[in-house]
């Protein structure tokens, strides 16, 4: 009788432990969707999928929701500031990312991917950047090499071709595809560049760039998606991603 009671007690405890474990919520930064399933990263009403770079929470200044858009507005009018970037709580490896952006006159921003959080380093020393720019009015458009700082480009590395960005105050659609080592940038319905990571050509390009002193740049096979505060007004909408 005692043996049966002990056995019953152990079984009850194990069952309760299993139920408790099952009831625990998934961590916010853990991917739980199946490949091919679209995740809405911003649907116009919530910033739950985002937090500040090197922050636990979403910033309480700068970023805000306006008319179903995720908008950054400079929060110190008396001087130029930047660096209040935001990143997804989840990390991604092979993915297809879609969104729309609109930049203010003479504005600058960016979309990062494969971001590694580093407490002492800015987001752009690890994450690859698809440039957002008002090409007609921002000086960066005429710097770099062959237009590799213009909208749609892999910033400071590979220029977008064709350069088909709409002017400031108009929406631009973006698609970034990461499939293994293969990356594509799409802008306004056209593929504007593609490249392969981790090839001899890739490493040679990095050695000849300003990123050469940062071994973590472009080295991550999985990382956060990021949106940049570059001190200018920028708007985003219809942000979604699916794992491949």
């Amino acid at each position: 009788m005692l043996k049966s009671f002990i056995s019953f007690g152990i079984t009850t405890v194990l069952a309760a432990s299993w139920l408790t474990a099952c009831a625990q919520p998934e961590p916010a930064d853990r991917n739980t969707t199946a490949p091919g399933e679209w995740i809405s990263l911003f649907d116009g009403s919530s910033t739950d999928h985002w937090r500040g770079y090197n922050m636990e929470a979403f910033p309480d200044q700068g970023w805000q929701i306006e008319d179903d858009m995720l908008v950054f507005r400079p929060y110190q009018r008396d001087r130029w500031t930047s660096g209040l970037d935001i990143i997804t709580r989840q990390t991604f490896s092979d993915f297809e990312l879609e969104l729309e952006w609109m930049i203010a006159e003479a504005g600058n921003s960016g979309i990062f991917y494969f971001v590694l959080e580093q407490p002492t380093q800015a987001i752009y020393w690890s994450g690859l950047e698809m440039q957002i720019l008002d090409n007609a009015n921002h000086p960066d458009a005429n710097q770099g090499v062959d237009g590799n700082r213009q909208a749609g480009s892999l910033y400071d590395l590979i220029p977008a071709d064709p350069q088909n960005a709409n002017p400031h105050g108009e929406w631009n659609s973006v698609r970034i595809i990461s499939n293994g080592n293969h990356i594509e940038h799409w802008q306004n319905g056209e593929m504007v560049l593609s490249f392969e990571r981790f090839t001899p050509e890739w490493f040679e390009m990095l050695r000849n760039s300003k990123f050469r002193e940062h071994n973590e740049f472009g080295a991550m096979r999985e990382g956060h998606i990021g949106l940049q505060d570059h001190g200018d007004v920028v708007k985003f909408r219809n942000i979604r991603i699916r794992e491949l």
Side-chain angles (χ1 to χ4, degrees):
M1 183 71 173
L2 178 60
K3 183 177 180 180
S4 298
F5 177 79
I6 293 173
S7 177
F8 173 79
I10 292 174
T11 301
T12 302
V13 170
L14 290 174
S17 299
W18 180 83
L19 289 171
T20 300
C22 289
Q24 295 299 315
E26 291 285 351
D29 58 354
R30 180 176 176 182
N31 298 356
T32 59
T33 53
E37 181 180 346
W38 284 102
I39 306 169
S40 177
L41 295 178
F42 179 71
D43 60 3
S45 62
S46 170
T47 58
D48 288 349
H49 285 280
W50 301 87
R51 60 180 176 85
Y53 178 72
N54 282 326
M55 298 171 61
E56 292 295 326
F58 192 81
D60 58 4
Q61 56 187 352
W63 295 93
Q64 53 205 297
I65 298 175
E66 300 178 7
D67 299 326
D68 299 327
M69 300 176 295
L70 181 59
V71 180
F72 178 82
R73 295 187 182 278
Y75 52 94
Q76 293 188 10
R77 302 291 180 181
D78 56 334
R79 63 187 181 93
W80 185 87
T81 62
S82 69
L84 197 63
D85 309 309
I86 58 174
I87 59 171
T88 55
R89 292 184 177 275
Q90 293 180 220
T91 57
F92 301 93
S93 179
D94 292 343
F95 62 84
E96 181 176 1
L97 172 70
E98 292 184 347
L99 59 81
E100 295 174 86
W101 61 264
M102 179 192 294
I103 195 71
E105 184 174 359
N108 187 336
S109 184
I111 305 162
F112 294 97
Y113 51 103
F114 298 124
V115 170
L116 170 68
E117 274 190 294
Q118 302 176 94
T120 62
Q121 299 290 330
I123 192 172
Y124 48 75
W125 291 128
S126 66
L128 302 179
E129 179 183 359
M130 184 178 190
Q131 173 77 313
I132 291 174
L133 199 75
D134 173 11
N135 291 339
N137 297 291
H138 196 287
D140 239 16
N142 299 316
Q143 298 177 9
V145 178
D146 297 329
N148 64 6
R149 295 187 180 184
Q150 295 183 9
S153 300
L154 179 64
Y155 178 74
D156 216 37
L157 293 172
I158 303 175
D161 182 19
Q163 181 42 252
N164 63 352
N166 293 325
H168 69 86
E170 296 185 16
W171 287 105
N172 291 268
S173 65
V174 157
R175 180 157 46 126
I176 300 174
I177 299 174
S178 167
N179 193 354
N181 294 340
H182 182 73
I183 307 293
E184 296 177 3
H185 286 189
W186 291 69
Q187 185 168 258
N188 295 325
E190 295 183 271
M191 186 172 71
V192 294
L193 64 82
S194 66
F195 60 94
E196 303 289 329
R197 293 200 296 161
F198 310 125
T199 64
E201 294 78 13
W202 168 257
F203 290 117
E204 180 180 5
M205 181 174 66
L206 295 189
R207 281 196 301 270
N208 294 322
S209 75
K210 71 177 185 180
F211 304 105
R212 60 184 172 272
E213 301 298 328
H214 295 267
N215 294 331
E216 66 278 17
F217 178 80
M220 305 301 295
R221 293 189 178 272
E222 180 175 322
H224 301 274
I225 306 297
L227 301 177
Q228 187 179 37
D229 155 24
H230 201 278
D232 301 311
V233 176
V234 61
K235 302 177 181 180
F236 300 93
R237 68 183 184 185
N238 300 326
I239 310 173
R240 67 176 189 166
I241 195 169
R242 66 186 180 111
E243 297 182 279
L244 302 178

